[in-house]
């Protein structure tokens, strides 16, 4: 059941938070051994918390808008007294955090039951589900295929029915890519909408859910301000109203001008989504490729330096305890000259300006989420030489701070999910949720995967 359905049941007495939590734990026990999506499960603690929630609902005094709802937390989101490995074997012996990150604090205040953490790749710097700390996380639609990353465990868990809500983080597509590859809804809010620590210009925490309504509800909680960070948060409604399409100008971006060529199957399903929106009154405007140079090269240089900085935080004797592809990436970052780094930053700034100008020409921009249908579960990316080159459509939303979502739009001939991305202008998070809710009513429902059963 979705979070909104659970809450309706808690409110009218038809459902108990204890029964809901037990059901989720049973589901995790049944499918997680095949998926490897969860770690740090706290079953007894979760059931005790659910009993407290049940008593509050029976007294007509719920703690907050998510009271009794099971929620999963990504390994990169700090929770006091719980593991915080960031997918990296070298961090597994670290002391636990002593305070909750802003997203965790807001969820607990709202009454959510945090019952496990979800897997991710090392440092969150792969759009894949492999990790030196966690091993391989598998896609529930096909266990031989990748979940996407870096919110890999969150995507696999929610798609397979282990609860309704998960929070991920998105640095270059890390919520939207798993959403697309697992037939979910995923949102990267605009910069500053969800307060989070440590501060980052590009990384944002956001929801992974099976419905737009659930994401809107969760985001209304996550967007509340936190005194520990200068990010303002936002006042967002806990419910979402579908946005009328008539007269909306939606740009259709079929190619970024860099990155892998888009597969015909992905284009077919993205075209279908654009035509469906057009049939209800939206004005679909084909957009030219915004770039004529390889922006990935600059992004890759920039992030390799960030990776090298993060490796420097590890104990010297354990810096080799990362995936070999991450070790090589950090080594490359260490070798980048100051001049090359500044040139990469300048190129990204120019690319950012071009992307902002493109989005400003329309109300929204529609595109594929990733250029291919999927790739194998045990690899770092579809291209072993450029492991994250497939984030071409998602990465610039992070660099510009614009809100962006991934929505399921159909299955490939091989039965794998495909997603569309929609990007909106700054401050248009609520409108983007509204458009997503409209499209959600038009597209086929994915149902639940059965590959692991």
């Amino acid at each position: 059941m979705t979070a909104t359905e659970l809450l309706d049941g808690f409110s009218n007495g038809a459902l108990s938070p204890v029964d809901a939590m037990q059901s989720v734990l049973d589901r995790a026990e049944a499918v997680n051994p095949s998926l490897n999506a969860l770690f740090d499960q706290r079953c007894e603690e979760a059931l005790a918390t659910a009993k407290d929630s049940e008593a509050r609902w029976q007294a007509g005094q719920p703690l907050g808008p998510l009271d009794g709802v099971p929620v999963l937390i990504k390994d990169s989101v700090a929770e006091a007294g719980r593991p915080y490995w960031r997918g990296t074997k070298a961090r597994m012996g670290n002391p636990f955090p002593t305070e909750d990150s802003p997203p965790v604090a807001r969820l607990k205040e709202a009454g959510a039951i945090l019952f496990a953490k979800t897997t991710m790749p090392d440092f969150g710097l792969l759009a894949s589900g492999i990790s030196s700390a966690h091993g391989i996380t598998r896609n529930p639609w096909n266990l031989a295929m990748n979940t996407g990353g870096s919110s890999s465990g969150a995507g696999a868990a929610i798609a397979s029915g282990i609860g309704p809500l998960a929070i991920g983080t998105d640095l270059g597509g890390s919520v939207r890519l798993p959403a697309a590859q697992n037939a979910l809804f995923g949102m990267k809010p605009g910069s500053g909408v969800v307060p989070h620590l440590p501060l980052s210009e590009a990384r944002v925490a956001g929801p992974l859910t099976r419905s737009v309504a659930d994401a809107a509800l969760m985001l209304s909680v996550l967007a509340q301000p936190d005194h520990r960070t200068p990010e303002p948060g936002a006042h967002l409604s806990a419910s979402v109203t579908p946005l009328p399409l008539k007269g909306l100008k939606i740009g259709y971006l079929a190619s970024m001008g860099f990155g892998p060529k888009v597969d015909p199957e992905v284009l077919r399903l993205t075209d279908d989504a654009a035509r469906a929106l057009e049939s209800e009154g939206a004005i679909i405007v084909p957009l030219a490729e915004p770039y004529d140079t390889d922006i990935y090269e600059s992004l890759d240089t920039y992030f390799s330096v960030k990776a090298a900085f993060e490796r420097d935080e590890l104990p010297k004797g354990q810096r080799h305890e990362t995936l070999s592809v991450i070790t090589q990436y950090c080594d490359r970052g260490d070798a980048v000259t100051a001049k090359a780094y500044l040139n990469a930053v300048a190129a990204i700034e120019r690319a950012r300006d071009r992307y902002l100008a493109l989005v400003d020409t329309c109300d929204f921009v529609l595109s594929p989420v990733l250029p291919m249908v999927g790739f194998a579960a045990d690899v770092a990316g579809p291209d072993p030489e450029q492991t994250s080159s497939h984030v071409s459509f998602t990465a610039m939303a992070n660099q510009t701070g614009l809100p962006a979502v991934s929505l399921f739009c159909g299955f490939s001939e091989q039965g794998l999910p495909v997603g569309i991305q929609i990007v909106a202008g700054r401050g248009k998070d609520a409108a983007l949720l509204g458009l997503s809710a409209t499209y959600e009513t038009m597209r086929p429902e994915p149902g639940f995967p059965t590959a692991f059963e």
Side-chain angles (χ1 to χ4, degrees), residues 52-298:
D52 293 340
S53 173
E54 180 180 64
R56 290 192 294 269
W57 280 108
Q58 289 174 347
Q61 298 177 329
L63 182 62
L66 295 177
D67 201 347
V69 177
V71 177
L72 291 163
I73 304 297
K74 186 179 177 180
D75 187 11
S76 60
V77 180
E79 181 182 357
R82 311 308 312 190
Y84 181 60
W85 301 340
R86 291 182 50 78
T88 306
K89 183 179 179 181
R91 293 185 184 273
M92 291 175 69
N94 281 12
F96 293 156
T98 57
E99 66 177 8
D100 292 331
S101 63
V104 167
R106 300 294 83 74
L107 289 167
K108 288 182 177 179
E109 291 165 1
I113 303 176
L114 280 51
F115 68 98
K117 299 201 80 173
T118 59
T119 58
M120 62 178 283
D122 298 59
F123 304 162
L125 285 173
L126 290 174
S128 170
I130 63 173
S131 161
S132 64
H134 304 297
I136 300 171
T137 300
R138 297 183 178 276
N139 192 311
W141 295 96
N142 182 330
L143 296 177
M145 301 302 287
N146 212 288
T147 57
S150 62
S151 303
S152 47
I158 299 300
S160 61
I162 307 177
L165 304 179
I167 185 166
T169 54
D170 193 312
L171 180 64
S174 292
V175 165
R176 289 159 288 157
L177 293 161
Q181 288 167 260
N182 291 277
L184 299 174
F185 179 76
M187 182 168 185
K188 183 203 84 66
S191 294
V193 169
V194 175
H196 191 29
L197 291 170
L199 286 173
S200 170
E201 290 184 2
R203 189 199 66 250
V204 182
L208 268 162
T209 65
R210 292 194 299 275
S211 74
V212 178
D214 274 10
L217 172 63
M218 191 179 189
L219 193 60
S220 71
V221 171
L222 297 173
Q224 295 172 30
D226 190 289
H227 67 89
R228 295 169 291 173
T229 167
E231 295 170 306
H235 295 288
L236 295 173
S237 173
S239 60
V240 59
T241 302
L243 189 68
L245 292 176
K246 188 171 180 61
L248 277 184
K249 186 178 179 183
I250 300 176
Y252 180 27
L253 186 61
S255 173
M256 290 290 285
F258 73 98
K261 186 177 179 180
V262 181
D263 284 356
E265 271 202 283
V266 174
L267 274 181
R268 174 179 61 82
L269 290 168
T270 312
D271 286 348
D272 288 347
R275 283 196 293 269
L277 294 168
E278 187 175 42
S279 70
E280 296 297 322
I283 302 166
I284 303 298
V285 181
L287 299 175
E289 296 177 350
Y291 303 111
D292 53 10
T293 58
D294 187 5
I295 306 303
Y296 176 76
E297 183 177 348
S298 299

